[in-house]
Amino acid sequence: MPGNVVRFIAGSTLVLTAACGGTTAAESGKPVVDAAFFPLQWLSEQVGGADVTVEGLTKPGVEPHDLELTPQQVAGVAKASLIVYVKGVQPAVDEAVAQHAAERGFDAATAVPTLEAVHSEEEEEEHGHEGEEIAYDPHLWLDPSRMATIATALGGRLAEADPAHGAAYKERAKQTAAALTTLDAEFAKGLATCANRTIVTAHTAFGYLADRYKLEQVGIGGIDPDAEPSPARLAEAARIAKEKKVTTIFTEELVSPKVAEVLASEVGAKTAVLNPLESPPQGGDYISGMTANLSELRTALGCQ
Ligand SMILES: [Zn+2]
């Protein structure tokens, strides 16, 4: 009997030691990456893989432009190994990075050429006095070729932050960039020959996509989806939609479709969803969400 007891205790000790020295220690040592909103979270997960813990700052279904950070999230930003964000999308994140993580912020907008922002009159009125308006359009994740460049840059930043896994970050970044380059080629091919090249959108989020694939975006609202369009802006959008024989007015899931519906009925068009991917698409990821966007665009624009 005494022999059995001793053996039992010895066995338990071994098991406990193995558990502590194994998974638990390895997990607690993983760098934490705070990703500001969906496309950056997806990209961080692809490039970081199992070597990092990715925390998303914006919950699915929340309009990221409106994000406010909880005190716990701000504390998380102060401790994270890397914060992946796009300056100008979420003032709360910009501020938390500036105050607590200036050296550990990876602003994706610094990795790619940016396009000038086209602000609506309503946004000028709303933000003009604050003098904080950023000069570029922040929606750069809607161009897969820019996302490929950002993937490579992110691999480099993660390798700097965690050199022990540097080769793995760079390899995953290469694979992710390759997948995004394939997606870019599908867009270029799918939108090469279309009856119409004008897209009328509720929220002016598709400037990079339009620029990359030679479409013309007419935004009803502004860069910030909450800015209500003025009657003059709506009338102008209606005039362009009629002139360009637009068949579809694009709306999105997280913004009220009312304005787009009013405009659509006025010009005899229908509405369809074009997802700015500021939140994860239902049951999908960045690639599947963008592929769905390509399909909507091809239908709306009459592409061959
Ligand atoms: Zn937006």
Side-chain angles (χ1 to χ4, degrees):
M1 276 298 278
N4 280 345
V5 171
V6 169
R7 237 180 300 161
F8 175 71
I9 290 167
S12 308
T13 309
L14 277 177
V15 169
L16 283 173
T17 307
C20 292
T23 45
T24 314
E27 260 172 29
S28 67
K30 278 187 191 179
V32 173
V33 176
D34 273 8
F37 55 96
F38 170 67
L40 302 176
Q41 186 174 341
W42 175 82
L43 200 67
S44 301
E45 286 164 355
Q46 300 303 303
V47 177
D51 293 320
V52 299
T53 300
V54 177
E55 286 175 357
L57 295 176
T58 309
K59 287 197 185 77
V62 172
E63 203 339 292
H65 291 277
D66 300 337
L67 183 73
E68 287 181 28
L69 296 177
T70 64
Q72 288 89 333
Q73 285 180 312
V74 174
V77 165
K79 281 189 295 191
S81 298
L82 195 66
I83 299 91
V84 183
Y85 72 118
V86 175
K87 197 172 177 183
V89 177
Q90 299 161 295
V93 175
D94 297 352
E95 195 186 315
V97 172
Q99 288 190 359
H100 304 287
E103 302 295 305
R104 289 169 287 111
F106 172 64
D107 173 6
T110 61
V112 290
T114 53
L115 297 174
E116 206 178 308
V118 183
H119 290 287
S120 67
E121 285 162 34
E122 292 74 26
E123 283 178 313
E124 301 276 318
E125 274 165 31
E126 218 176 281
H127 301 293
H129 61 281
E130 293 168 14
E132 288 174 354
E133 196 88 324
I134 53 157
Y136 64 88
D137 177 353
H139 298 92
L140 38 86
W141 59 90
L142 290 162
D143 169 6
S145 73
R146 279 181 170 80
M147 278 289 269
T149 305
I150 295 165
T152 305
L154 179 59
R157 275 301 290 268
L158 283 169
E160 267 172 39
D162 179 20
H165 300 103
Y169 294 128
K170 287 181 179 169
E171 178 53 32
R172 282 189 295 263
K174 202 173 144 188
Q175 286 169 12
T176 307
L180 290 163
T181 301
T182 300
L183 180 66
D184 175 52
E186 284 167 10
F187 264 80
K189 189 165 173 259
L191 298 173
T193 313
C194 307
N196 202 319
R197 304 201 77 82
T198 302
I199 54 169
V200 179
T201 62
H203 155 204
T204 310
F206 300 89
Y208 288 88
L209 191 151
D211 183 70
R212 178 76 183 160
Y213 307 111
K214 302 183 175 62
L215 304 177
E216 194 195 335
Q217 175 181 231
V218 178
I220 310 169
I223 294 248
D224 179 338
D226 291 334
E228 280 272 316
S230 66
R233 180 68 201 142
L234 262 180
E236 174 68 1
R239 188 189 65 73
I240 299 170
K242 277 181 197 158
E243 186 191 303
K244 303 279 184 183
K245 300 186 168 55
V246 164
T247 63
T248 309
I249 307 294
F250 286 111
T251 181
E252 64 188 81
E253 279 159 17
L254 299 182
V255 173
S256 162
K258 222 168 77 188
V259 172
E261 281 164 3
V262 167
L263 182 63
S265 72
E266 197 182 323
V267 304
K270 54 183 182 159
T271 61
V273 170
L274 197 57
N275 192 338
L277 293 171
E278 293 178 356
S279 195
Q282 292 223 333
D285 64 7
Y286 174 84
I287 302 270
S288 69
M290 284 300 278
T291 303
N293 279 343
L294 175 57
S295 166
E296 291 291 347
L297 286 167
R298 284 176 48 77
T299 303
L301 301 176
C303 306
Q304 287 168 11

